[in-house]
Each structure stands twice: as structure tokens, then as C-alpha cells.
Amino acid sequence: MLLILLMYAALLGVPFWAVAVVVKLVSALLPGRRPDWARDLLRWSAAMTAVAAVMVYAIGLGSVEWDASEAESGAGSSPAAPCRSLPPGTLGLLAGHEPSYFPLGFDCLLTDGRVVAGTGPYDLLNGLGIAFALAAVLLTLSVGFLDEYRARAALRTGRAGRVDEPQETG
């Protein structure tokens, strides 16, 4: 039940996340930005893509929990909703189900020992979660590379701008 509530919280957070992204991007395009606006935008984008990855995973966790809960209680709960789209011959062999929380998924267990993936948004949610997490890592790395590039450029400029001083021997 807790994962379902977490899913609803993430679903309610998505519009706020989207508005924050749009406002930040518009503010980056307007004149009068700070001199370090590019680094700030990269850091902020890394954080927001990490938040998006967490929200997508929370939505997926709630979806898996919802399907598992629906399959275990009430009239019409068998077979589980993700397993209902199996072909008629395979549907007759259905012995049970197994939710998967990492990676997100819902497996349908057959009497002959086979495991068939149930239908649902799980592949899409896994793909989105991985894409957002990878983007967050790459953006974080780009902030580090930008800082390193600026530090080296400042060091080169500092050396090129001063008169050669005699070197100490000794």
C-alpha cells in the first residue's frame, strides 16, 4: 500500500516538476543572467533529471504493487491483470504470478515451468528511469569537466599574462 501512495505522490509531483523545468529554461533564455549561468543550468539540470528518474521509478513501483494487490484480492482477481492478455493456450497454463520491483515487471508463471512477461508499462518505465538516471550522471560529469576546463584555461591565461620571472636555482 505504501508503494501505491508513493506512486500517487510522484504522479502529483510530475506537473510541478514540468513547470519548474519550463520556468528554469525560460529564465536561462532571458537577458540579464549571471555570468556562471551555464554551470548553474548544468547543475540544476542534473538534479532535475535525477528527480525525474526517482519519480519514474516510484510510479513504476506503485504500478507493480497495484497489479500485485489487485491479483491477490477480490472477485475477478484471477488471473492477474497483466497476465490476462496471454494467448488462450498459454492462459490455460497459468499457475501464478510474480511481481518484480527491480527491474520493474510482472511475470506470469506457467504450469510447465516457463515464465512469461505480463503486459504493462514496465518496459517503458524501466527505459525512462534508465535514460533519466544516465542523463543525470552525464550532466553531473559535464559540470566537473566544465570546472576542470575553466581552471586550466585560467591557469594558462595567468601564465601567459605575466612577465617571465627568473627561476630560482638551487
Side-chain angles (χ1 to χ4, degrees), residues 96-122:
H97 63 274
E98 185 70 33
S100 172
Y101 297 100
F102 190 80
L104 299 171
F106 200 89
D107 295 331
C108 305
L109 309 174
L110 305 179
T111 56
D112 62 1
R114 289 185 297 151
V115 177
V116 179
T119 60
Y122 309 117

Side-chain angles (χ1 to χ4, degrees), residues 8 36 43 72 130:
Y8 284 129
D36 64 341
R43 287 181 59 219
E72 295 169 2
I130 289 169

Side-chain angles (χ1 to χ4, degrees), residues 20 43 54 57 70 77 90 94 114 123 136 138 141 150 154 161:
R43 287 181 59 219
V54 169
Y57 190 67
E70 287 291 313
S77 62
T90 308
L94 189 62
R114 289 185 297 151
D123 290 338
L138 292 175
L141 288 174
R150 286 182 176 174

Side-chain angles (χ1 to χ4, degrees), residues 13 15 17 21 24 30 64 66-67 75 80 92 99 107 110 113 115-116 121 124 134-136 146 151:
W17 177 88
V21 168
K24 183 66 172 188
L30 295 176
V64 169
W66 181 279
D67 286 338
D107 295 331
L110 305 179
V115 177
V116 179
L124 174 67
L134 182 61
L146 179 64

